[in-house]
Structure formats: C-alpha cells, structure tokens
Amino acid sequence: NAGVMQNPRHLVRRRGQEARLRCSPMKGHSHVYWYRQLPEEGLKFMVYLQKENIIDESGMPKERFSAEFPKEGPSILRIQQVVRGDSAAYFCASSLTGTSLDTQYFGPGTRLTVL
Amino acid sequence: GENVEQHPSTLSVQEGDSAVIKCTYSDSASNYFPWYKQELGKRPQLIIDIRSNVGEKKDQRIAVTLNKTAKHFSLHITETQPEDSAVYFCAATTGNQFYFGTGTSLTVIP
C-alpha cells in the first residue's frame, strides 16, 4: 500500500538551471496538491491539479513555475531559471475526492538547494 | 481567503504533562480541520482531524476541540512522551486548498 511518492528527495541546482520535481499520488488518488515549505516556516499552497487539469494555481508564482499532471505518469512541478530564493522543501499531497471532506496525504518532500 | 493563526510557536513541556496548541481561522465557511505532525526532515503526517459538524474528537492521548462560533480549534496531547517532540501544524479548508498555520515546535523534556 504505497503512499505518496516524490523524487528526487534531494535536488541541487545552480542558479539559472531548471528543477523538475515529481510526485506520484497514492493509488486510486487523482487529486494532487503542491506545497512549498521554507526553512522554519509552515506549508504554503502552490497548486492543485487533477489529471490533465490545473484546478487552482493561485499560490504559484506567475513566472518560472509551472505544474502538470498528465493522463499517464507523475505530476511534475517545474521551476525554470532557479534562484537562491527557490531553495525550500517542496511537498506534494494527494487526496481521493478533492473535496473539503477529504484528507490530504503528504509525500516525503523534495529538498531543493540552489547554489 | 482563509487566514489561520497558530499559537504558541514553541512549547516545552515535561514528560507526562499535557500540551495544548491553539489555532484560529477567519473564514466561517471552513469545514475541515486536520492536524499534522512533522518530525525533522520528514513529511507531515496526519494525526487527527475534525469536521465542522463535531465539537470534539479524541484518539487515545490526542484530542481536538472545535468552537465554530469563536472560529478556533485546539489540539490537546495528554501524558506527553519524548516521541511527541515535533512540529505540529493545524490547517483549515473550505474546499481544495488547505491553509496551514505556521507551526508549533513541541519539545517534551524527559
């Protein structure tokens, strides 16, 4: 009974490079959420996706960040031209129905370090 | 949008004592309130949740209370143990997006 999977667990990039973070939801879940956690801070919502659709991206920076959840394969959070301020832990979560009565289960996170 | 405030930011208790963490929220439409425990370097783990049609929920040493009128909810941990040491986050949601508090770092002193 695999939980939410994320890879890589740790990612180091130099300024200006691209970072690609992957998230595979729990089996049977088709709703994926991405959160960012800065050191010593709480979790900040970035984007909510269903298969092939972005439902709510109100927490995503307007530039350099994009997310997708294709029909097949994991959800991808892409950060282009990374800057030092992008260094954070990025968590994805998944839920079964996507309603407010449904729990979100978190993956182990990807810790991005930008040099 | 929703605004969740959490207090205290740090909390130290002696082993065996109780710990209480409080959260307030702003959107009266919020109807689901989970609590997550995050150990250093690990994922947030759901420990207990409460829905708006319930005032209190208990699971062994952990309990959560909800006051919808005052728009606040609290986590209570009794008989604390060293393994309870972690950061605890409350959250509130009206739908898809979870709004998290800023976290409480709990230290249980043996």
Side-chain angles (χ1 to χ4, degrees):
Chain A
N1 183 19
V4 179
M5 307 292 288
Q6 285 186 252
N7 69 81
R9 296 291 307 277
H10 300 274
L11 182 61
V12 179
R13 285 288 178 266
R14 296 192 180 279
R15 281 179 296 171
Q17 291 184 320
E18 178 179 282
R20 290 168 64 94
L21 289 61
R22 297 174 187 77
C23 170
S24 297
M26 284 181 70
K27 188 176 181 181
H29 287 191
S30 59
H31 301 261
V32 167
Y33 313 79
W34 285 93
Y35 294 86
R36 177 164 62 178
Q37 186 175 36
L38 295 170
E40 311 277 323
E41 292 190 12
L43 294 143
K44 299 293 185 186
F45 170 81
M46 298 181 74
V47 62
Y48 162 45
L49 310 103
Q50 293 181 39
K51 287 281 188 181
E52 300 183 279
N53 284 303
I54 297 174
I55 307 302
D56 181 353
E57 56 181 347
S58 58
M60 281 273 268
K62 292 289 185 281
E63 297 178 350
R64 304 188 297 108
F65 285 73
S66 62
E68 63 177 7
F69 190 13
K71 187 176 180 180
E72 301 290 338
S75 174
I76 307 284
L77 178 68
R78 183 183 292 111
I79 311 173
Q80 296 177 304
Q81 299 174 346
V82 297
V83 301
R84 288 223 173 101
D86 297 332
S87 296
Y90 292 83
F91 289 92
C92 80
S94 74
S95 69
L96 183 62
T97 65
T99 70
S100 63
L101 302 180
D102 197 12
T103 297
Q104 293 184 14
Y105 296 91
F106 281 83
T110 293
R111 278 151 187 82
L112 172 65
T113 301
V114 180
L115 302 178
Chain B
E2 174 67 280
N3 181 43
V4 177
E5 295 190 355
Q6 183 172 347
H7 300 281
S9 57
T10 59
L11 179 60
S12 292
V13 299
Q14 290 292 137
E15 182 177 359
D17 287 351
S18 295
V20 180
I21 302 170
K22 299 181 179 180
C23 288
T24 61
Y25 61 99
S26 60
D27 190 341
S28 57
S30 289
N31 56 6
Y32 176 61
F33 307 90
W35 285 88
Y36 287 86
K37 175 183 180 182
Q38 187 177 28
E39 296 176 10
L40 188 63
K42 296 190 177 180
R43 76 183 76 192
Q45 297 261 24
L46 179 73
I47 55 170
I48 196 167
D49 56 12
I50 192 166
R51 306 189 192 286
S52 59
N53 59 344
V54 175
E56 183 174 358
K57 183 177 179 180
K58 190 172 181 180
D59 182 3
Q60 299 183 336
R61 297 187 297 108
I62 296 173
V64 58
T65 58
L66 171 64
N67 183 327
K68 286 190 66 181
T69 302
K71 289 189 279 194
H72 67 69
F73 55 113
S74 300
L75 177 72
H76 304 252
I77 306 174
T78 59
E79 300 172 25
T80 54
Q81 301 168 2
E83 52 265 38
D84 294 330
S85 296
V87 178
Y88 292 80
F89 292 97
C90 63
T93 182
T94 59
N96 308 318
Q97 183 179 151
F98 278 26
Y99 295 88
F100 283 87
T102 49
T104 296
S105 178
L106 173 64
T107 301
V108 179
I109 303 166

